Amino acid sequence: GAVVSQHPSRVICKSGTSVKIECRSLDFQATTMFWYRQFPKKSLMLMATSNEGSKATYEQGVEKDKFLINHASLTLSTLTVTSAHPEDSSFYICSAYPGTNSYEQYFGPGTRLTVT
Amino acid sequence: DAKTTQPPSMDCAEGRAANLPCNHSTISGNEYVYWYRQIHSQGPQYIIHGLKNNETNEMASLIITEDRKSSTLILPHATLRDTAVYYCIVRVGNNNDMRFGAGTRLTVKP
């Protein structure tokens, strides 16, 4: 099956700093990528949808200036958490969608962010 | 996308079949039923999907009622490694969006 990777798998940063998380589709081109966050013992919450070469679409309540998403190529999307605070500590998961004629989204393994 | 309702938790004995129900009474004609699972601290894993016919693959079977208002995911011989949160999602077939409900936490016990 198709593989999606995320880097880093874990990151600890200090409050006020920015952190970049990468999501890559390793063996297919992803016209659309999605970013989710998940708090402990909670379900995944969709944060934003990004299409290659265009601006991301953010879900209601997600600050676009805080969570910067760049989908510069068909195999790479990045999420930058700017001026991170302890409440941004969470599990961030990306998924990639190959496009038309595909019924499946492929999820990355997730990135655990801890802000101290 | 139609909303789904799942029991919050279930237990199953190792080696037995695990039957996970999902209600989706407001499903519309062009919406598929998808099942994903998430093992602790990992990304979700696709299991199976269907429109109206029952489906089977190497992981599981999906039984959809004739009125399509509910479905059941069957793991025929549960193992300890099947312990996970199972999510039932309904959405238009190749629509981009995948939104997760609370899911069912399945615990397989020896």
Side-chain angles (χ1 to χ4, degrees), chain B residues 11-89:
Chain B
D11 290 343
C12 177
E14 188 178 18
R16 297 288 192 135
N19 297 287
L20 292 92
C22 180
N23 286 322
H24 31 79
S25 57
T26 60
I27 193 170
S28 55
N30 62 346
E31 289 183 312
Y32 286 67
V33 180
Y34 285 79
W35 283 84
Y36 279 76
R37 72 179 182 184
Q38 186 180 26
I39 295 169
H40 183 63
S41 293
Q42 297 182 23
Q45 176 190 21
Y46 167 82
I47 300 173
I48 199 166
H49 77 279
L51 183 62
K52 48 185 173 182
N53 297 324
N54 297 337
E55 302 288 343
T56 296
N57 63 20
E58 64 277 5
M59 288 183 69
S61 294
L62 173 61
I63 308 298
I64 303 173
T65 57
E66 195 167 339
D67 63 7
R68 303 211 319 125
K69 293 185 176 182
S70 66
S71 60
T72 301
L73 178 74
I74 301 173
L75 308 178
H77 305 287
T79 70
L80 299 178
R81 285 186 287 186
D82 291 322
T83 292
V85 178
Y86 287 77
Y87 296 99
C88 168
I89 302 164

Side-chain angles (χ1 to χ4, degrees), chain A residues 32 34 36 38 41-44 46 49 51 59 91 93 97 100-105 107-110 112, chain B residues 32 34 36 38 40-46 49 87 91 93-103 105:
Chain A
T32 307
F34 303 87
Y36 296 81
Q38 185 176 32
K41 298 191 177 181
K42 298 293 185 181
S43 186
L44 286 80
L46 180 66
T49 303
N51 293 295
E59 294 297 304
F91 193 49
I93 304 169
Y97 178 65
T100 55
N101 300 320
S102 173
Y103 288 83
E104 188 176 339
Q105 279 189 30
F107 286 82
R112 175 80 56 195
Chain B
Y32 286 67
Y34 285 79
Y36 279 76
Q38 186 180 26
H40 183 63
S41 293
Q42 297 182 23
Q45 176 190 21
Y46 167 82
H49 77 279
Y87 296 99
R91 67 175 182 125
N94 59 353
N95 190 14
N96 287 338
D97 229 288
M98 186 77 74
R99 295 174 187 268
F100 290 77
R105 183 173 297 276

Side-chain angles (χ1 to χ4, degrees), chain A residues 44-55:
Chain A
L44 286 80
M45 288 176 43
L46 180 66
M47 298 175 66
T49 303
S50 74
N51 293 295
E52 186 264 339
S54 62
K55 290 185 178 180

Side-chain angles (χ1 to χ4, degrees), chain A:
Chain A
V3 178
V4 175
S5 70
Q6 284 185 239
H7 178 80
S9 57
R10 289 177 179 270
V11 58
I12 300 173
C13 71
K14 293 187 176 181
S15 189
T17 62
S18 295
V19 175
K20 181 185 284 188
I21 302 170
E22 292 186 348
C23 176
R24 293 182 185 271
S25 57
L26 298 185
D27 50 4
F28 66 98
Q29 292 185 328
T31 57
T32 307
M33 287 185 171
F34 303 87
W35 287 96
Y36 296 81
R37 66 189 297 182
Q38 185 176 32
F39 292 110
K41 298 191 177 181
K42 298 293 185 181
S43 186
L44 286 80
M45 288 176 43
L46 180 66
M47 298 175 66
T49 303
S50 74
N51 293 295
E52 186 264 339
S54 62
K55 290 185 178 180
T57 302
Y58 290 82
E59 294 297 304
Q60 192 172 9
V62 178
E63 299 175 58
K64 63 179 181 180
D65 295 330
K66 180 167 183 65
F67 298 100
L68 301 179
I69 292 172
N70 187 321
H71 192 162
S73 78
L74 287 172
T75 60
L76 173 64
S77 177
T78 60
L79 168 68
T80 301
V81 183
T82 62
S83 187
H85 292 283
E87 57 265 31
D88 298 324
S89 298
S90 189
F91 193 49
Y92 291 87
I93 304 169
C94 72
S95 71
Y97 178 65
T100 55
N101 300 320
S102 173
Y103 288 83
E104 188 176 339
Q105 279 189 30
Y106 301 95
F107 286 82
T111 296
R112 175 80 56 195
L113 170 63
T114 303
V115 184
T116 61

